[in-house]
Amino acid sequence: MNAFITGSHAYGAPRSNSDVDLVVLVDADTQCLLQRESGDGPIRFGRLNLIAVTSERLFAAWKLGTEQLIEERNWTGQPISRERAVEHLTALRAVPAGTQPSER
């Protein structure tokens, strides 16, 4: 299984009640099963928030974005805000298939 932690535990400032965001690459059947088991809305089990993607391109965009945000945090010495992370990750995920996300 391909998976990695993103969110505040990777590049932010997690609090004691912060959820753990885990990006996982799964097939469509597994994604449907996880969604069914979790109920309506995001795939959550307690404080575990699963970001289940079925596309290697989207998985790679999440991974690249997370790595870039970790580098930014390390460079600035400051945790990355949720707003900054959402902006950055949304832009990377919007890159059309067949193109490479640019390094920021």
Side-chain angles (χ1 to χ4, degrees), residues 45-85:
F45 300 96
R47 289 186 20 225
L48 176 63
N49 179 39
L50 285 181
I51 302 163
V53 296
T54 59
S55 157
E56 288 190 22
R57 184 188 69 77
L58 286 177
F59 183 83
W62 272 102
K63 189 163 181 65
L64 175 63
T66 297
E67 290 168 351
Q68 290 173 337
L69 292 168
I70 291 169
E71 285 180 26
E72 184 177 326
R73 182 208 54 208
N74 291 341
W75 186 72
T76 64
Q78 299 294 317
I80 304 301
S81 70
R82 183 180 191 289
E83 294 77 19
R84 167 74 181 118

Side-chain angles (χ1 to χ4, degrees), residues 4-101:
F4 61 91
I5 291 175
T6 192
S8 64
H9 285 278
Y11 48 73
R15 297 182 302 250
S16 62
N17 64 341
S18 293
D19 60 1
V20 175
D21 299 303
L22 183 67
V23 179
V24 294
L25 179 61
V26 297
D27 60 39
D29 290 339
T30 302
Q31 185 185 45
C32 288
L33 174 65
L34 289 167
Q35 188 67 62
R36 241 188 347 263
E37 291 296 321
S38 175
D40 292 335
I43 302 172
R44 295 185 59 83
F45 300 96
R47 289 186 20 225
L48 176 63
N49 179 39
L50 285 181
I51 302 163
V53 296
T54 59
S55 157
E56 288 190 22
R57 184 188 69 77
L58 286 177
F59 183 83
W62 272 102
K63 189 163 181 65
L64 175 63
T66 297
E67 290 168 351
Q68 290 173 337
L69 292 168
I70 291 169
E71 285 180 26
E72 184 177 326
R73 182 208 54 208
N74 291 341
W75 186 72
T76 64
Q78 299 294 317
I80 304 301
S81 70
R82 183 180 191 289
E83 294 77 19
R84 167 74 181 118
V86 168
E87 172 190 344
H88 186 71
L89 292 166
T90 299
L92 283 177
R93 291 192 319 266
V95 172
T99 61
Q100 292 285 33

